[in-house]
Amino acid sequence: MPEDFGEVHFIGVHLDRLLEQRGLTLTELADRVGVTVVNLSVLKNGRAKAIRFSTLTALCRELGCQPGDLLSYRPDLGG
């Protein structure tokens, strides 16, 4: 495991699946949530280092889901 644990995370993001299930595009969701498409794309691709609770709340509201539907602990992502 790398020394700088702060740069490694094991959180999987399931935004693609939720968007597909709800027939939404990333752009539509970004508009509804009030974040940029770029920031939402960073989250979707697993490159985000953090997420604000207010953003998580808005995503769950718009997707009709729980945080656990959007995020999961994935120790296999550590490389």
Side-chain angles (χ1 to χ4, degrees):
M1 181 164 301
E3 293 266 332
D4 187 3
F5 188 76
E7 292 298 315
V8 176
H9 72 81
F10 305 97
I11 302 300
V13 180
H14 311 292
L15 194 50
D16 277 338
R17 183 186 71 221
L18 292 168
L19 287 170
E20 183 178 333
Q21 289 173 349
R22 284 143 179 87
L24 288 172
T25 67
L26 198 63
T27 301
E28 290 170 327
L29 184 61
D31 288 344
R32 291 181 184 191
V33 172
V35 298
T36 67
V37 175
V38 171
N39 284 341
L40 208 51
S41 180
V42 167
L43 177 64
K44 179 179 75 86
N45 293 319
R47 295 188 320 262
K49 292 185 180 189
I51 183 171
R52 294 175 188 255
F53 280 154
S54 58
T55 302
L56 184 58
T57 298
L59 286 169
C60 289
R61 180 191 67 231
E62 294 303 323
L63 293 169
C65 70
Q66 295 294 312
D69 299 325
L70 184 61
L71 305 171
S72 64
Y73 174 65
R74 301 265 319 270
D76 59 308
L77 293 177

